[in-house]
Amino acid sequence: MKHSTNQQTRRGRGPARRIGRSLAFVLPVVLVLSGTLAVTRVNWSGNPSNSVLTAADASNADTSSGAVARAPHELLRDQLLTELQEKNPGVALTHLQEAVNGRPSLAKHCVSIARALGKAAVRVYGPTRAQSFARPVCDTSFATGVAAAHS
């Protein structure tokens, strides 16, 4: 007695079964990863200005109830003052101009930031060398800051 084996049925089921098993393994992984990425993009802070909160931002955020968010122009000023000390005033002035061009809302603070950079440059480099970095950024406010700190 010969056992009949239907090769067509067996052959037809093979690739479909392999594909099904692959999908059964891959699909949950994809869903978990996409859900994780979606949760990191949700604005959990309630602050509409910063709609994307990364894990690094969350770990660096001050969560105390008395914390006050700093204005963007204050953050930029502090960043540029640090850059002035680490590199030179020319680099800081270039980045100030780029920041104002990229974010026009900072233009109203450009004069005060450039003056602060000028005063800091006098403290770090002296009045003569600080003046050599002057550029026509924010209507020559850097030079005004140098002159004010020198007087």
Side-chain angles (χ1 to χ4, degrees), residues 66-112:
V68 177
R70 297 186 61 203
H73 69 276
E74 293 173 345
L75 295 173
L76 176 64
R77 183 192 62 227
D78 293 346
Q79 176 187 354
L80 292 174
L81 287 170
T82 302
E83 196 169 73
L84 180 140
Q85 292 175 355
E86 292 175 354
K87 296 179 183 172
N88 67 51
V91 173
L93 286 171
T94 299
H95 289 152
L96 172 60
Q97 186 66 50
E98 290 171 354
V100 170
N101 290 344
R103 201 166 171 189
S105 63
L106 293 172
K108 61 186 173 187
H109 304 288
C110 187
V111 171
S112 64

Side-chain angles (χ1 to χ4, degrees), residues 19-97:
I19 291 170
R21 286 181 181 170
S22 297
L23 283 175
F25 175 73
V26 172
L27 191 59
V29 172
V30 170
L31 290 174
V32 167
L33 288 177
S34 64
T36 303
L37 293 174
V39 168
T40 61
R41 292 242 175 228
V42 173
N43 181 7
W44 296 105
S45 67
N47 184 1
S49 67
N50 186 10
S51 61
V52 177
L53 180 65
T54 63
D57 293 336
S59 67
N60 292 335
D62 186 4
T63 57
S64 65
S65 61
V68 177
R70 297 186 61 203
H73 69 276
E74 293 173 345
L75 295 173
L76 176 64
R77 183 192 62 227
D78 293 346
Q79 176 187 354
L80 292 174
L81 287 170
T82 302
E83 196 169 73
L84 180 140
Q85 292 175 355
E86 292 175 354
K87 296 179 183 172
N88 67 51
V91 173
L93 286 171
T94 299
H95 289 152
L96 172 60
Q97 186 66 50

